[in-house]
């Protein structure tokens, strides 16, 4: 059929696409309804252009939206930071609020375990950072979470104007490795109370993110420590055996004794 034919069929729902259709991979079409249901924009998803997205990609995007809708319905925030983020500590979930209205109806829900690292960017430059296996480094953190910093980054002179303040969060997701929390998007003087409030909000977000990362760290139990201690002891006696300081019989006896503890 011709490019302007109204009878082209959507490759997802198999309904006529009309004129407000979108071309996807393999010279196929997707209708406005499926396009909206998949929450697509002109650039596609996961940095893939719509013209490169397959029917399977579209179906997966629709499924992801349905699953996220269910997640939002079950999301019960136990902590909210300004109009930036909300956290459900019971279900170990978090989301980024609308930067304008602070609403969650179109937010994506993530797991605590999705967080790899994060950093505060001011005018595109890293100010503070932290994450798994790291201490927070940067400006002093304060607010409800009260995490402690590990140091100070850089010695650059502070400018009197801020044009953007955002948090970059790296996720354990190959399809969507990075998300941003926009705290400030307009030019403002740093001595303005609005900037100071926004900076405090950003730092509190970082504090909570670091506490979440700290909770994800594996802990060493007493049994783990005992196992390590026994292994070290056996290795010590094995070295004595290799040196000829003890006999094989003595080594076997000591090894059995240690393993029986």
């Amino acid at each position: 059929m011709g490019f302007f034919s109204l009878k082209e069929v959507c490759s997802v729902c198999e309904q006529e696409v009309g004129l407000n259709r979108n071309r996807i991979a393999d010279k196929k079409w997707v209708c406005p309804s499926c396009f909206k249901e998949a929450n697509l924009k002109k650039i596609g998803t996961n940095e893939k252009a719509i013209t490169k997205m397959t029917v399977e990609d579209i179906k997966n995007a629709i499924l992801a939206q349905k699953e996220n809708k269910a997640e939002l319905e079950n999301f019960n925030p136990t902590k909210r930071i300004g109009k930036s983020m909300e956290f459900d500590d019971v279900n170990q979930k978090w989301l980024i609020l609308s930067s304008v209205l602070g609403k969650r109806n179109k937010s994506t829900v993530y797991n605590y375990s999705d967080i790899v690292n994060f950093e505060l960017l001011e005018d595109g430059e890293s100010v503070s950072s932290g994450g798994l296996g790291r201490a927070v480094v940067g400006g002093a953190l304060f607010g409800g979470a009260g995490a402690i910093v590990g140091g100070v980054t850089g010695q650059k002179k502070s400018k009197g104007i801020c044009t953007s303040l955002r948090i970059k969060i790296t996720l354990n997701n190959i399809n969507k490795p990075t998300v941003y929390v926009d705290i400030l998007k307009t030019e403002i003087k740093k001595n303005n109370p609005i900037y100071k409030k926004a900076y405090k909000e950003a730092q509190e977000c970082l504090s909570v993110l670091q506490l979440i990362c700290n909770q994800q760290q594996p802990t060493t139990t007493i049994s783990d420590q005992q196992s390590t201690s026994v292994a070290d002891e056996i290795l010590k006696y094995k070295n004595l055996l290799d040196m000829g300081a003890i006999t094989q019989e003595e080594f076997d006896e000591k090894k059995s004794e240690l393993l029986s503890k």
Side-chain angles (χ1 to χ4, degrees):
M1 296 182 182
F3 185 86
F4 294 103
S5 172
L6 294 175
K7 295 184 179 180
E8 294 284 2
V9 174
C10 174
S11 300
V12 178
C13 67
E14 298 183 353
Q15 301 296 313
E16 288 188 12
V17 294
L19 288 176
N20 294 324
R21 57 200 177 190
N22 287 273
R23 174 78 83 178
I24 59 175
D26 303 320
K27 297 182 179 180
K28 295 182 178 180
W29 297 97
V30 61
C31 69
S33 178
C34 290
F35 187 87
K36 181 179 180 180
E37 193 175 0
N39 195 31
L40 296 178
K41 296 181 172 52
K42 293 301 180 182
I43 58 172
T45 59
N46 304 330
E47 306 303 323
K48 181 186 286 189
I50 289 172
T51 54
K52 301 294 183 181
M53 295 183 72
T54 64
V55 174
E56 192 66 25
D57 289 334
I58 305 294
K59 289 181 178 179
N60 287 338
I62 292 174
L63 178 61
Q65 288 301 308
K66 289 180 178 178
E67 291 176 345
N68 189 69
K69 183 179 180 181
E71 291 273 16
L72 280 171
E73 290 174 352
N74 294 322
F75 190 86
N76 185 25
T78 55
K79 182 175 181 61
R80 177 184 174 116
I81 302 177
K83 295 181 179 179
S84 301
M85 303 183 74
E86 283 187 341
F87 301 87
D88 180 351
D89 208 40
V90 175
N91 295 306
Q92 304 277 287
K93 307 281 186 180
W94 61 278
L95 54 78
I96 300 169
L97 295 165
S98 165
S99 59
V100 178
L101 300 175
K103 293 185 177 180
R104 79 171 79 99
N105 58 321
K106 293 186 179 180
S107 299
T108 300
V109 178
Y110 302 98
N111 297 311
Y112 279 9
S113 58
D114 291 335
I115 304 169
V116 177
N117 56 56
F118 52 85
E119 60 182 323
L120 177 60
L121 303 175
E122 186 171 324
D123 297 336
E125 295 184 0
S126 181
V127 176
S128 304
S129 63
L132 290 175
R134 301 165 58 188
V136 178
V137 178
L141 299 183
F142 44 86
I148 306 300
V149 304
V152 178
T153 57
Q155 299 296 327
K156 297 180 181 179
K157 292 182 179 180
S158 176
K159 295 181 292 185
I161 299 289
C162 173
T163 57
S164 71
L165 193 65
R166 66 192 326 210
I167 298 171
K168 174 184 177 182
I169 305 175
T170 301
L171 306 176
N172 185 25
N173 186 329
I174 194 169
N175 292 319
K176 192 173 185 179
T178 306
V179 293
Y180 291 90
V181 185
D182 286 308
I183 310 294
L184 273 179
K185 298 176 70 175
T186 56
E187 184 175 299
I188 192 169
K189 292 182 178 180
K190 291 187 178 181
N191 60 4
N192 190 309
I194 295 176
Y195 169 81
K196 294 178 180 179
K197 181 181 178 181
Y199 195 83
K200 182 175 181 178
E201 185 174 312
Q203 293 286 6
E204 187 174 355
C205 287
L206 264 63
S207 295
V208 175
L209 290 171
Q210 186 60 54
L211 289 176
I212 289 172
C213 287
N214 291 345
Q215 292 172 8
Q216 307 308 309
Q217 305 294 342
T219 57
T220 302
T221 63
I222 293 176
S223 60
D224 291 335
Q225 294 173 346
Q226 290 174 338
S227 297
T228 302
S229 178
V230 169
D232 289 341
E233 283 294 305
I234 293 174
L235 180 59
K236 182 177 72 175
Y237 284 104
K238 180 63 169 64
N239 290 335
L240 290 174
L241 174 65
D242 294 339
M243 292 167 57
I246 61 175
T247 64
Q248 181 68 49
E249 184 180 350
E250 290 172 324
F251 170 75
D252 292 339
E253 182 181 347
K254 198 64 182 177
K255 179 180 177 182
S256 298
E257 179 184 329
L258 289 167
L259 290 175
S260 65
K261 289 183 178 181

